[in-house]
Amino acid sequence: MTLLVEAQHICVRYNDHTAVNDVTLTINKGEIVTLIGPNGAGKTTLVRAILGLTPVSSGLLTKKPALSIGYMPQKLQIDSTLPVTVNRFLALASRHSRNIDDALKLVGIKHLGQKPIQAISGGELQRVLLARAVLRQPELLVLDEPAQGVDITGQTELYALIKQIRDQLGCGVLMISHDLHLVMAATDNVICLNQHVCCSGHPETVSNDPAYQELFGQTGAAQIAVYHHHHNHEHTINGEVVACQHDAPSITQKENS
Amino acid sequence: MPDFMIYALLGGLGVAAISGPLGCFVVWRRMAYFGDTLAHSALMGIALGLLLDINMNIAITVVCIFIAVSLVILLKQRQLASDTLLGILAHSSLSIGLVAVSFIEEVRVDLTGYLFGDLLAISPTDLAWVYGGAIAVGVILAILWKPLLMMTIHEELAKVEGLAVDWLRLVLMLLFSIVIAVAMKIVGVLLITAMLIIPAATARRVSNTPESMALNASLLGMLSVVLGLTLSYYFDTPAGPSVVVSAFILFIFFYLARPQKG
């Protein structure tokens, strides 16, 4: 197993505020590591520190030499004065236009290639960024809340897609998520963060950990409850109805009725 | 056509050609106010050039680069909103320049020429500076086009993907400084930003790739120069402002006439 990133006791401080405190973690090739934690827990700060966008105040951060990184930021706002189509945006990452079509097909948005990048929805943009990451064939894929603004069905699909990309590229994945239950199936290692590491390990271990339950509250820990139903069909991203391809996602359910 | 008109035309066309692609970056990166501040500080460059008796173009470029780098550093500390800070610096540097120039008594300085441009007084030497600067800026832009574009789309994404973003930003500042130095003679410190952003903003209406927008901005700028100089020649209007008025008329025309592309 190749070690991609190793953080030892890293802290990130802004003035008097400690955003990330004494965090130790490793990311290996082929491994999906998910950071979860409440708002303001320092998840994004930790990710930015690992990416080299925010300086580390103390501790040791080592990366595999010449590590190639694919990054999906939380928001990607492109000024509307810049005329860029999805294809062009992807072409800036790759030299072969044939690969671009393949990448778009893989993430299920082949029909969006000619559209201006400012004209597509948030969920579609997340897929474009995934396609871009695939094109660059990175050793480490970093995703900051990849499912933001995507509905529940879409989220499950997106996480499955991330897992599929990991299998295909054999890359390591570091992602931030709010919802352990949704990412469970596609995660090898969960780190529950609240400035420091509350608990970490296999997703099922973490969800039963007292520290996790304390952080999210008993109800929060079993939160998914609200509304869930089984579909007898699915929609492609352009809205066409297709037959169900996989069983309903393994989500902990609480029956309310 | 008299010689001075031919020089004016050639000088104006050269500046407009290079202002096109660079102006697109000003529009894309929302740097209009930044460019304005930089242009205003060029007057300090003139004062320096007169005091030290060195070439004006070099003095202006050096002062602009210095101001640009200081601005980038100042804007990083977030005590004041950036538009406030730029507003303070734009007008302070303009005033410092004006005060400094007034101290130099032995030289009669034509301030209006520096503020609004003196297109009709362009000499062959000035032309050499304009075209030398334009070619240098054009070559650097062409070589660094792809990374500059990527940085403009998303700076952090570009940085994570391994581009030397800080260095690229510095290069862009250098290019601005050169263009301001050579464009000053043509449109003056107060109107340089107009030559950068008006043709670029007009070009957005008719372009669907970054490259075509850059090219269209150049062509629209050159058309503005031709129209402006014609206006100036027949109606004896000031040349620099006439060029800007022409660019503005084109802008209005394209915004009313065509829906936005892509």
Side-chain angles (χ1 to χ4, degrees), chain B residues 95-114:
Chain B
S95 304
I96 292 171
L98 288 170
V99 169
V101 168
S102 77
F103 274 114
I104 308 161
E105 282 173 16
E106 58 266 40
V107 201
R108 287 289 302 143
V109 184
D110 173 21
L111 266 184
T112 327
Y114 289 125

Side-chain angles (χ1 to χ4, degrees), chain B:
Chain B
M1 202 171 2
D3 268 2
F4 71 87
M5 276 310 282
I6 293 173
Y7 292 153
L9 194 61
L10 287 176
L13 290 176
V15 166
I18 201 60
S19 298
L22 213 56
C24 287
F25 278 104
V26 176
V27 170
W28 295 333
R29 296 174 61 82
R30 303 187 174 204
M31 291 173 73
Y33 215 173
F34 188 96
D36 223 19
T37 308
L38 216 52
H40 286 188
S41 70
L43 210 63
M44 296 204 296
I46 289 172
L48 187 78
L50 289 171
L51 276 171
L52 302 179
D53 195 23
I54 51 172
N55 181 288
M56 221 51 109
N57 292 291
I58 293 172
I60 295 169
T61 310
V62 168
V63 168
C64 280
I65 292 170
F66 173 76
I67 296 284
V69 173
S70 325
L71 275 180
V72 170
I73 295 167
L74 269 175
L75 288 173
K76 271 193 176 171
Q77 54 93 34
R78 306 215 160 269
Q79 291 270 333
L80 285 171
S82 49
D83 62 333
T84 307
L85 193 61
L86 287 174
I88 292 171
L89 291 172
H91 300 105
S92 302
S93 59
L94 182 66
S95 304
I96 292 171
L98 288 170
V99 169
V101 168
S102 77
F103 274 114
I104 308 161
E105 282 173 16
E106 58 266 40
V107 201
R108 287 289 302 143
V109 184
D110 173 21
L111 266 184
T112 327
Y114 289 125
L115 292 178
F116 300 105
D118 199 358
L119 193 44
L120 302 183
I122 285 207
S123 67
T125 325
D126 293 326
L127 273 185
W129 276 100
V130 167
Y131 279 88
I135 289 168
V137 170
V139 168
I140 296 173
L141 263 185
I143 294 172
L144 294 177
W145 184 259
K146 201 170 159 177
L148 282 173
L149 201 58
M150 191 54 228
M151 173 177 81
T152 300
I153 287 176
H154 199 276
E155 210 157 298
E156 292 194 332
L157 194 56
K159 194 174 177 184
V160 170
E161 290 179 356
L163 291 178
V165 169
D166 293 322
W167 190 79
L168 283 171
R169 214 185 291 124
L170 199 66
V171 171
L172 205 55
M173 298 297 157
L174 175 76
L175 298 183
F176 277 129
S177 305
I178 295 174
V179 167
I180 285 170
V182 299
M184 219 174 116
K185 199 78 192 197
I186 317 286
V187 281
V189 287
L190 295 182
L191 299 177
I192 287 174
T193 320
M195 273 312 280
L196 286 169
I197 64 173
I198 298 177
T202 313
R204 177 65 184 97
R205 300 301 285 187
V206 290
S207 315
N208 49 18
T209 66
E211 290 74 21
S212 67
M213 181 163 156
L215 181 69
N216 288 333
S218 287
L219 295 176
L220 284 161
M222 289 161 91
L223 182 59
S224 311
V225 167
V226 174
L227 291 174
L229 283 181
T230 311
L231 190 72
S232 174
Y233 187 70
Y234 286 105
F235 298 97
D236 199 26
T237 53
S242 302
V243 171
V244 175
V245 168
S246 307
F248 179 63
I249 290 170
L250 287 174
F251 170 80
I252 299 278
F253 175 77
F254 277 96
Y255 262 74
L256 293 180
R258 295 196 57 137
Q260 178 159 325
K261 264 200 177 184

